[in-house]
Amino acid sequence: MEANTLTPQKLFEPQVRYVIPVFQRPYVWDIEKQWEPLWEDVRAVAEELLEARHQQSSAEVPAHFLGAVVLDQQPNPAGFIQVRHVIDGQQRLITLQLLLNATRQVAAKHGRQRDAALLTTLVRNPEHIVDSDDEILKVWPINADRAAFQAAMDDDEANDESKHRVSEAIVFLRERITSWAFDASTDDSSTPSDRLRALTMALALNLKLVVINLEPADNAQAIFEALNDRGAPLLAADLVKNAVFQAAERQHLDVDKLDRDYWDTLSGDFWREEQRQGRLNRPRIDIFLNYWLTMRRAHVVPSDRIFTDFRDHVLQPAHDVQTVMTELRADAQTYRRLADFPPHSVPGTFYYRIIQVMDIAATVPLLLWLTRPASGVPEPARDQALTALESWLVRRMLCRVSIADTTNLVVELLRRLRTATPAEAGQITETFLAEQTADTRRWPTDEEVTDSVQRIRFYNAMTPRRRCRMILEALEDSYRSPKTEEAHCRRGDLTIEHVMPQSWQQHWGADFPADPASIQDRNHRVQTLGNLTLVTARLNPVISNSPWPPTAGAPSPEGKRAGINAHSVLLLNKRLVDEHPDEWTDQAINDRTLALGRRITEIWRRRA
């Protein structure tokens, strides 16, 4: 390869096109990390040029280094515009073009035609030598950015309304240039024309890039991976895309069509939005690829091995890249719909309770496999499998035993499911879970669950608190008829209420023994499941510390029982007030804890 240091004028003045290959990621630079720092650097160079001119100094203003770009020369017939593929550095090339064009627009608008003409040669090829409109712009982005980039390089102010990041970039740069050029406080001795001239010269001549031109024998893909798979801020998905489209080119596929018809499903802000996975925030597309590889290979794939696993175990054995992309696109669509199942369907309930509330993302590969059309799992078998796994997880949570081995368990279950017919998925899952005998994998029995529920300080033990609320929501749903329109309570909208308040001494301790052991015992009992219910957030403060029957001086003159009865429609509360018309005692708490514990074993059944 050959490396040279070039100014933007040397890089862009020839009649040339720098084409971003389709395997590259979309434009991702933003104001805080890139646009603002770049503008400040360029502005500083322009101000140094102004100062040197003001002092009539002959000293050379130091150039500012922008970084490196790697280019791959493409064969083209004699007489045609040269084409180079941008293997690395596309983000800075696009941004530099936007900065050049923003300066051109400001200069043209304010009568600096000489500067505008110079800058035009750096962003556009002459129209009389091009064969199509595509060849006019010096830089040609991928499909996802193309329309926005063309609009940004145009002079129609209506284009400023776009929310694309490219559009936001040129609006930001144009505003900064205008503000600086027409702000007299910058340098009282310089005019706006002086500043625009200095900025034009700074952009054309006082910026430097290291331009690496690959030679015919160089492996562009290997160089791309070497540059970007060792610490540069590329996503694993960007490297995957690079590998896919390099393979597609070797198979002589239409890569532009492949990008539009397949990879476009995985493009956009939705996929690049960061989501929490474990202790880290990662882009959604990398998280999906992690789950997808785990599902597809039935093998644990560490997050730092996404690209290499995809390349070595999915792409290399593939006879047809399009087949891989067809599968990936379909599964990406399934993954995106996981949160859209009807809330009280079995997959919707599993997603809410296990993924959202319990935060056990290790189950996603199995959920993806069971719900993807390619697996062919019938709905009854799918529901049976998810119900069994949900029971296994909830029971282990209630028994306060570790679920740390869930990832390996899911992978082993996937291996077993893949060797059977899809219709057997439910039965196989139940059998597999029932067979686990290790302490890290046992499916707790009814007796273990009810015993644990009676012993633990439920309110304190079920953390985060949404886990406690989820159990109470499930208990409420269990009292409702599945045939009614209101078969389920509103998830996440209700608050947890202690029937006997945590501050029970004020209105609940008149006849209670004052010895430390009794007080400690009651403090424990107040936190158990039998003393918990659900109410609306609006009702909670009104009744919170009131005694069960009304007494003088209580916060609610009607009493807590009457307040719940009058304002709550939950069946959980209807049973509570109907069964305890006169008092709420320590023994009542114990009895209800046992009853609810047994009901939990009916909600989350275990195969014998």
Side-chain angles (χ1 to χ4, degrees):
M1 62 183 69
E2 176 189 356
N4 295 288
T5 302
L6 301 180
T7 64
Q9 187 172 34
K10 291 290 187 182
L11 180 65
F12 292 124
E13 200 170 46
Q15 295 164 8
V16 66
R17 294 179 73 220
Y18 298 106
V19 177
I20 314 298
V22 294
F23 58 73
Q24 293 274 21
R25 60 178 168 174
Y27 185 71
V28 297
W29 277 18
D30 61 29
I31 181 171
E32 182 178 350
K33 296 179 181 177
Q34 286 93 17
W35 304 340
E36 186 76 69
L38 174 61
W39 164 246
E40 289 299 321
D41 290 338
V42 172
R43 179 189 58 76
V45 175
E47 289 179 356
E48 285 193 54
L49 287 173
L50 280 172
E51 181 66 20
R53 180 178 300 176
H54 175 68
Q55 296 180 358
Q56 299 182 343
S57 171
S58 59
E60 185 175 346
V61 173
H64 177 71
F65 178 61
L66 290 178
V69 294
V70 180
L71 306 174
D72 190 16
Q73 174 73 53
Q74 301 300 298
N76 60 289
F80 285 78
I81 292 177
Q82 295 182 55
V83 176
R84 288 179 172 84
H85 280 180
V86 182
I87 303 304
D88 190 60
Q90 63 131 332
Q91 303 286 328
R92 58 176 51 90
L93 276 190
I94 290 176
T95 309
L96 182 54
Q97 280 285 297
L98 293 173
L99 180 55
L100 289 165
N101 198 55
T103 307
R104 179 192 68 80
Q105 290 173 334
V106 175
K109 183 176 180 179
H110 296 281
R112 292 294 306 176
Q113 299 305 325
R114 180 183 174 190
D115 297 324
L118 171 59
L119 294 167
T120 297
T121 66
L122 305 186
V123 297
R124 291 175 175 269
N125 291 308
E127 293 188 20
H128 67 276
I129 68 164
V130 301
D131 289 330
S132 68
D133 291 343
D134 293 356
E135 296 181 339
I136 291 177
L137 297 178
K138 301 274 185 175
V139 172
W140 194 239
I142 64 171
N143 286 327
D145 298 327
R146 195 166 294 166
F149 185 75
Q150 287 177 291
M153 301 302 285
D154 196 0
D155 294 334
D156 186 352
E157 293 184 1
N159 296 331
D160 292 352
E161 301 301 318
S162 172
K163 298 301 182 185
H164 194 284
R165 191 162 294 189
V166 165
S167 308
E168 294 173 349
I170 198 163
V171 170
F172 166 83
L173 293 168
R174 198 163 53 228
E175 289 175 350
R176 287 290 192 273
I177 293 165
T178 303
S179 175
W180 175 77
F182 293 88
D183 182 0
S185 65
T186 302
D187 182 350
D188 291 339
S189 65
S190 63
T191 67
S193 292
D194 292 335
R195 294 175 205 138
L196 287 173
R197 182 61 180 169
L199 180 58
T200 300
M201 292 298 99
L203 288 171
L205 302 173
N206 286 80
L207 303 181
K208 295 289 183 70
L209 299 98
V210 172
V211 180
I212 302 171
N213 290 290
L214 302 186
E215 296 177 352
D218 292 332
N219 186 323
Q221 180 182 355
I223 291 170
F224 178 86
E225 293 172 12
L227 287 167
N228 295 298
D229 193 28
R230 292 169 174 81
L234 274 183
L235 308 186
D238 296 324
L239 296 170
V240 166
K241 183 181 180 183
N242 167 56
V244 166
F245 284 96
Q246 291 282 358
E249 287 183 336
R250 290 194 297 271
Q251 295 181 12
H252 306 292
L253 299 176
D254 185 337
V255 290
D256 282 324
K257 188 175 188 301
L258 199 66
D259 186 37
R260 289 192 306 271
D261 294 349
Y262 295 92
W263 194 268
D264 190 59
T265 303
L266 289 162
S267 299
D269 291 341
F270 170 84
W271 289 105
R272 301 187 84 88
E273 181 183 353
E274 290 200 340
Q275 302 286 300
R276 188 170 61 85
Q277 186 184 38
R279 296 184 299 274
L280 302 176
N281 288 329
R282 301 175 59 220
R284 186 182 273 115
I285 188 171
D286 281 5
I287 294 173
F288 160 68
L289 286 172
N290 202 166
Y291 295 147
W292 184 78
L293 285 166
T294 299
M295 175 204 71
R296 196 179 190 274
R297 295 191 57 214
H299 183 82
V300 177
V301 178
S303 60
D304 61 352
R305 291 278 305 171
I306 294 172
F307 165 62
T308 52
D309 266 51
F310 184 95
R311 181 192 62 196
D312 298 343
H313 299 286
V314 176
L315 200 56
Q316 297 290 6
H319 298 294
D320 182 9
V321 169
Q322 189 163 324
T323 301
V324 173
M325 288 303 301
T326 299
E327 180 185 359
L328 187 61
R329 177 183 64 177
D331 290 337
Q333 291 168 338
T334 298
Y335 177 78
R336 189 163 184 169
R337 291 193 296 263
L338 288 180
D340 296 332
F341 276 101
H344 303 295
S345 64
V346 171
T349 297
F350 183 92
Y351 189 86
Y352 169 70
R353 291 174 177 172
I354 304 304
I355 308 300
Q356 291 186 312
V357 173
M358 293 180 64
D359 197 21
I360 308 177
T363 61
V364 172
L366 179 62
L367 178 60
L368 183 60
W369 187 86
L370 289 168
T371 54
R372 69 198 287 256
S375 297
V377 179
E379 187 174 308
R382 175 203 70 189
D383 291 354
Q384 184 181 4
L386 291 175
T387 300
L389 183 59
E390 183 181 315
S391 169
W392 183 85
L393 289 163
V394 171
R395 282 177 174 242
R396 290 189 68 83
M397 176 185 73
L398 293 170
C399 289
R400 313 296 295 150
V401 290
S402 173
I403 55 173
D405 201 30
T406 302
T407 299
N408 291 319
L409 178 132
V410 164
V411 165
E412 290 180 27
L413 177 55
L414 279 167
R415 290 175 190 157
R416 187 171 298 191
L417 289 170
R418 286 168 49 171
T419 62
T421 61
E424 298 177 296
Q427 186 63 43
I428 287 173
T429 301
E430 284 188 346
T431 301
F432 174 81
L433 294 173
E435 289 174 350
Q436 304 305 311
T437 57
D439 288 341
T440 56
R441 292 192 174 187
R442 287 182 57 255
W443 196 352
T445 63
D446 292 357
E447 291 75 18
E448 289 173 307
V449 172
T450 53
D451 179 64
S452 178
V453 166
Q454 290 179 92
R455 287 186 295 100
I456 62 175
R457 295 164 60 96
F458 200 87
Y459 183 76
N460 304 104
M462 294 297 108
T463 55
R465 199 77 67 215
R466 60 181 181 269
R467 296 186 178 188
C468 180
R469 184 180 62 207
M470 181 268 285
I471 298 295
L472 291 165
E473 290 169 345
L475 286 165
E476 167 65 22
D477 290 349
S478 73
Y479 291 119
R480 301 188 180 199
S481 170
K483 297 181 180 180
T484 64
E485 291 184 1
E486 297 182 349
H488 304 276
C489 67
R490 296 171 299 174
R491 290 173 175 168
D493 290 344
L494 301 170
T495 62
I496 303 167
E497 172 69 9
H498 292 75
V499 182
M500 182 181 292
Q502 298 183 83
S503 302
W504 53 268
Q505 290 90 340
Q506 185 176 1
H507 297 290
W508 295 69
D511 301 323
F512 192 77
D515 62 280
S518 297
I519 292 173
Q520 182 179 1
D521 184 57
R522 174 169 275 194
N523 285 337
H524 176 91
R525 187 172 290 108
V526 162
Q527 306 295 346
T528 59
L529 177 60
N531 192 50
L532 304 177
T533 191
L534 294 171
V535 296
T536 63
R538 188 174 180 181
L539 177 61
N540 185 301
V542 177
I543 65 172
S544 187
N545 288 327
S546 294
W548 193 243
T551 59
S556 174
E558 61 185 349
K560 193 162 193 173
R561 178 189 178 278
I564 293 175
N565 191 41
H567 302 291
S568 176
V569 297
L570 298 182
L571 296 182
L572 194 64
N573 290 330
K574 179 173 173 50
R575 297 177 71 92
L576 178 67
V577 299
D578 286 352
E579 293 172 5
H580 302 89
D582 301 318
E583 59 182 356
W584 182 249
T585 65
D586 292 72
Q587 186 57 48
I589 294 174
N590 292 343
D591 293 343
R592 186 168 178 264
T593 299
L594 176 59
L596 294 181
R598 288 172 175 169
R599 195 165 191 88
I600 282 171
T601 64
E602 293 297 315
I603 298 170
W604 289 286
R605 293 178 179 272
R606 178 193 186 276
R607 182 183 176 195

